[in-house]
Amino acid sequence: MTAIPKEQWKERIRDPKIECASRDEMTALQSERLVETVKRVYENVEFYRKKMDDLGVLPGDIKGIEDIGKLPFTTKEDLRDHYPFKLLAVPNERIARVQGTSGTTGKLTVVPYTQRDVDIWGECVARALTMAGLTKEDRIHICYGYGLFTGGMGLDLGVQALGAMAIPMSSGNTKRQMTCMEDFEATAFACTPSYALHLAESMVEEGVVDRLKIRAGIHGAEPWTQEMRKKIESILHINCFDIYGLCEISGPGVAMDCIHQKGLHVYEDYFYPEVLNPVTHEACADGETGELVFTTLMKEALPLLRYRTKDLTDITHGTCDCGRTLPRISKFRGRTDDMKVIRGVNVFPTQVETALLAMGTVAPHYLLIVERENNLDVLTVMVEVDEHYFSDEIRKLDELKTKVGNVLKAALGVSVRVKLVEPKTIERSEGKAKRVIDKRDLS
Amino acid sequence: MSKTIKQLSVFIENREGRLNEVLGLLGKNDVNIVALSLADTEDFGMLRMIVSDPEKGREILKSAEITAKLTEVVAMQVSHASGSLAKAMEKIVDGNINIEYMYAFANGDAASVILKSDNPQKVVEILETNGFKVWEADEAYKANQ
Ligand SMILES: [Zn+2]
């Protein structure tokens, strides 16, 4: 198939009343839903009742969405501590299904859903599929894994809600994936971006690309770059879309990007997003990087107040070129775990990377070292001098040092010592370099 | 025959034994060092060498993941007549050439100077028209052997 250029794109919006609502309409809806959610969790979930009592906040203090800052946070650890069903806000018999995630630590987080939760999840994915230009005429090949992981199930629910045809392939067996995609005349496929790329390359090898009817790819569940998107799009001649979600909140379909790729539209009528300064927890202005925090506004089984995702992003309000007024979050800039506070300034390794990348064509390997000298934080950046940066003139290397120092100071807002080191000096673990070493003893 | 020669320039960190490692690696692979200069800064050093086989030297270092590159320089022969180096420098400066750095080495009885400039070809031209001699590449790589 051929990819549709932005100019010829015909935007479809599943629920224009919500997706294109005015700010006032949305605020009213969110306020009503938040007040109801807070009342419900206070009455039914001991964990939240205790937390709110500790903060001296009663349900009556929450009069609208503007009061959200008064509510307590929820963390991933809280979910694990209450494994499996201790945060349940409905009677056991109302649980319709569970999904879960093992995360990177291997410890299971389990998420229960009522039937209404499942329906809303499907509705959100259906909105996302519509955003990708898909209708009930489409045949959607799902090669996300099915099981506890929300990927396969989430997409499946969305296809059902859309009234389209689901091809529930689950992951693996690339050869069979290709055969079914061709034989069943799939018009879209959904999987992780890395698998999409693998599949696309396999299709080229097998020479099946021209026989496919695929026109859209829905990819998420792992970070991917713009280059990956362009590669998949150009190999398969399709449009790719970035879908985001986390099982704690619901699953895929919490946010999705439109053809204009100006950030991922958040379904804020169900999942209220805040972007907060990771240290002060104050709300960031639009465009300012902070931690993404979600409050579920309609969840029955596992309503969560201010769930801290630890993902760093920024948010933009205002009408998108697609016509939606749903706010947009940027691609994630990293995790709060990697953030360091240096002389009161938040420093993210990814900022260093972006700044260094902007300097030249090649991103040098680097390592940040935070130390404390005479009660002052000192930030040193070790930069590997490879052939690209090497000069036989000391003056030029000194210039490079100064330039790196200036670029980083401008990007981070703190002074940086630059130390040039030989290639491979900086330790790499399984291809992924460690980016920060904090030598401060802050205990 | 090339009148400019290829210098092997190596980036080394200021840590103990690193210089020996680099020199040892070259020696073990039969790359002989004809001339050598080491410039130091606070945290790194710059090793500049004329060697018997610059391309091979670079390959060896590269496979050991040491940052090295080849730089085009001029090796001028300096007669023992006093003031001859000063005179040569004067002519080069008159030709609007910027000398980035220089270092001396002995080639048998003769003294020689390695000149790094922004225009090596022009340096050769200026030196030769003013009666100075430069080493050709093949001679320079084989010096002191
Ligand atoms: Zn949009």
Side-chain angles (χ1 to χ4, degrees), chain A residues 385-387 390-398 401 418-425, chain B residues 9-13 18 39 41 43-44 46 48 58 62 65 67 69 71 100-101 116:
Chain A
V385 175
D386 60 10
E387 269 177 62
F390 178 54
S391 161
D392 64 304
E393 291 169 36
I394 286 173
R395 180 173 54 87
K396 288 200 179 140
L397 286 176
D398 277 337
K401 261 175 80 165
V418 180
K419 190 169 160 45
L420 301 180
V421 297
E422 289 180 31
K424 312 286 164 181
T425 308
Chain B
S9 315
V10 188
F11 178 85
I12 49 174
E13 264 172 58
R18 192 55 174 162
T41 73
D43 46 57
F44 62 87
M46 180 71 62
R48 300 168 180 137
R58 181 172 170 274
K62 200 178 168 187
E65 290 176 339
T67 303
K69 69 194 258 176
T71 317
E100 309 278 0
Y101 57 78
K116 164 69 198 288

Side-chain angles (χ1 to χ4, degrees), chain B residues 6 15 19 23 39 45 48-50 61 64-66 68 72 77 80 101 104 107 109-110 114 128:
Chain B
K6 284 176 181 150
R15 62 187 153 89
L19 178 62
L23 298 182
R48 300 168 180 137
M49 290 175 286
I50 305 302
L61 296 179
E65 290 176 339
I66 293 168
E72 203 181 359
Q77 305 180 20
H80 291 295
Y101 57 78
N107 189 357
D109 283 343
I114 301 292
E128 291 194 326

